[in-house]
Amino acid sequence: MRGWTRRQALAGGLALLAAGRQVLAAPAPASPATAFVNVNVLPMDRQRVLRGQTVIVADGLIRAIGRGIAVPSGARCIDGGGTAFLLPGLADMHNHSDSRQDLAVQLACGITTSLNMGEARNSFVGRTRAAVARGDVPGPRVFAALAVDGSPQYGHLVVRTPDEVRAALIVARANGYDFIKVYNNLSAECFAVLAREGPAMGLPIVGHGVTAVGLAGQIAAGQAMVAHLEEFFYTFFPQPPESAPNAAPDEAAIPAAVALAKQAGTFIVADLVTYGTIASQWGKPEQVQAFLAAPEARYLAPAYRFSWPREGYARKAGSLDDRVRFLRVFARALEQAGVPLLSGTDSPDIPGLVPGFALHGNLDRLVAAGFSRHAALETATRRAGEFIAKTHPGGMPFGTVTPGSRADLILASANPLDDLATLRRPAGVMAGGRWHDAPALAAMLADVAAGYAMPG
């Protein structure tokens, strides 16, 4: 989030975490085959419902879908009873979760793809996500971006010359990063090198608006994704007057931004929950305390219990409400124009945004902005799969319930197109072909809460 300094580990939170040793539920082993029978399928490849289907999964892939198709001998059968709905697992394409506990919570919330957007610990990038991929640790598949900036102001890796940029690219590739995230203070020269040489090394560019370049120039140079919808405030739309720094742009400026993104096919993270949550606590310290008292705060790492009240938003003056309303209109205009939008949260760095739970909040805000429920779900399913296919071609497709796609699935007890709230309580989640039923998901959450519980 622009203007926000990445949190530092707090001694008190770390001490509490060490005191409460975490024991996470072991992931279910992959079986030779799994058959979902008598389920209603939301494929998410287009707007349709396939009723009374059998879906066969084997070796981590969806192998077949149809009515009355044969179930392989020895397959595990999961019966939807004609009322359950099967749809792709969800994707949070902008977060800062970097622990096994966060991944467990994300999975329990139906998230099967996660993009960490900067400052993940080396052990997380190098070991934890590999353990998830092997099935040793429960969680979503993780992609990771290395954040680079032109100054240490926001706590990111600093690159100031083309040679330093090239060195950073070599290090990022050697350490398994998937993207380079550009940040506010990067120089135009360094951005140009990143945009030219990063994709050639398998490291597409994502991130903020760079002040020295501007989003128009960044998108023209091939930046694959804008990491926040609100970045357009800072380096595209006209700046507000000094007398009204929180004023929203004129809505007449929206068509130019839409045309720019549509022409380039640039993906944009429509993270309405991020800016909306910031606005809700702007100048309101009591709101942060309410966040910490919410039920989902049980799954928040102890360090954030210390850091959230110390973030600066609650000490600000004025209101961001006009900008929140503008972003809703902007997001809807982008969606109507067919610009590819993603869901993201910036959790847990922003006070009020708990990993996993925040993504459902974003889907709700998209619907409130005028998206259909299907269109909102697309941002966290099909569009995420399209983004990875575009930026890292040749990988296993995901984001739809179609033969050949990765078996990342949510089993919901009711139709999400009637009420998205059903996805907050999955009947089960399959990640990479590994099935976790509702009791297993509940056990994951209980283990995290127990490990984070305050002594006494």
Side-chain angles (χ1 to χ4, degrees):
M1 191 69 201
R2 182 173 291 265
W4 182 84
T5 303
R6 181 81 163 99
R7 93 282 186 200
Q8 301 295 319
L10 298 171
L14 291 177
L16 287 174
L17 180 56
R21 178 177 171 271
Q22 202 69 37
V23 181
L24 294 177
S31 68
T34 299
F36 295 91
V37 298
N38 203 13
V39 292
N40 304 307
V41 177
L42 292 181
M44 297 307 298
D45 55 348
R46 60 184 186 275
Q47 189 158 349
R48 57 178 178 150
V49 176
L50 306 176
R51 297 190 178 274
Q53 302 291 300
T54 295
V55 178
I56 306 298
V57 171
D59 300 320
L61 292 175
I62 299 169
R63 299 293 182 178
I65 302 172
R67 279 180 171 270
I69 60 177
V71 174
S73 176
R76 170 180 48 200
C77 285
I78 300 168
D79 192 343
T83 58
F85 281 73
L86 193 70
L87 66 154
L90 303 176
D92 184 338
M93 300 302 284
H94 185 151
N95 65 77
H96 298 278
S97 294
D98 66 352
S99 70
R100 294 186 177 198
Q101 293 81 8
D102 282 353
L103 296 185
V105 175
Q106 287 182 332
L107 186 66
C109 290
I111 294 172
T112 56
T113 301
S114 179
L115 172 53
N116 182 289
M117 286 289 275
E119 273 61 65
R121 293 171 294 174
N122 292 338
S123 60
F124 176 81
V125 176
R127 291 196 313 226
T128 302
R129 66 175 183 164
V132 172
R134 291 192 305 267
D136 298 338
V137 171
R141 179 170 55 161
V142 176
F143 295 91
L146 177 66
V148 298
D149 202 356
S151 82
Q153 180 180 359
Y154 299 110
H156 303 303
L157 181 69
V158 175
V159 291
R160 292 193 175 99
T161 70
D163 285 344
E164 290 175 352
V165 167
R166 295 184 180 101
L169 288 171
I170 291 170
V171 169
R173 183 172 64 178
N175 285 273
Y177 286 91
D178 305 288
F179 299 94
I180 295 293
K181 178 184 178 182
V182 296
Y183 219 75
N184 311 348
N185 296 325
L186 201 65
S187 71
E189 180 184 32
C190 287
F191 175 84
V193 176
L194 285 169
R196 183 174 62 251
E197 300 184 19
M201 295 178 64
L203 293 163
I205 305 305
V206 300
H208 281 210
V210 176
T211 302
V213 182
L215 280 175
Q218 292 170 243
I219 289 171
Q223 182 164 321
M225 180 247 271
V226 178
H228 296 279
L229 190 63
E230 60 269 26
E231 286 303 309
F232 284 83
F233 283 151
Y234 312 122
T235 61
F236 183 85
F237 294 126
Q239 294 303 295
E242 291 185 9
S243 59
N246 297 331
D250 191 323
E251 291 181 15
I254 287 177
V258 172
L260 171 70
K262 184 173 177 60
Q263 181 178 10
T266 306
F267 286 77
I268 298 172
V269 179
D271 58 337
L272 293 181
V273 74
T274 307
Y275 204 79
T277 301
I278 289 172
S280 73
Q281 63 194 283
W282 197 261
K284 301 173 183 175
E286 69 278 6
Q287 183 59 58
V288 179
Q289 294 306 316
F291 292 150
L292 291 171
E296 60 267 26
R298 291 175 292 173
Y299 314 114
L300 183 70
Y304 289 102
R305 293 183 175 275
F306 287 90
S307 65
W308 275 12
R310 290 164 174 77
E311 291 303 328
Y313 305 122
R315 296 189 293 273
K316 299 290 187 180
S319 170
L320 298 181
D321 291 349
D322 287 345
R323 288 192 160 205
V324 170
R325 284 189 287 270
F326 179 92
L327 288 178
R328 288 199 294 261
V329 175
F330 185 28
R332 180 71 173 119
L334 290 164
E335 188 268 329
Q336 287 182 307
V339 173
L341 301 179
L342 302 169
S343 263
T345 62
D346 221 4
S347 63
D349 284 356
I350 303 300
L353 297 179
V354 176
F357 295 87
L359 186 70
H360 294 285
N362 197 61
L363 297 178
D364 290 342
R365 285 178 183 264
L366 291 173
V367 171
F371 287 51
S372 70
R373 295 186 183 92
H374 192 276
L377 282 173
E378 282 185 326
T379 69
T381 55
R382 177 172 69 90
R383 291 300 196 182
E386 291 172 350
F387 172 69
I388 296 298
K390 179 179 178 181
T391 54
H392 292 280
M396 188 184 299
F398 71 96
T400 62
V401 185
T402 52
S405 288
R406 179 179 158 97
D408 291 336
L409 302 163
I410 299 177
L411 188 67
S413 59
N415 187 353
L417 300 184
D418 293 333
D419 186 354
L420 291 177
T422 189
L423 298 178
R424 292 176 176 266
R425 300 175 298 278
V429 176
M430 177 171 276
R434 296 181 177 87
W435 174 245
H436 310 267
D437 61 16
L441 299 175
M444 290 179 200
L445 291 175
D447 285 345
V448 172
Y452 287 164
M454 297 292 184

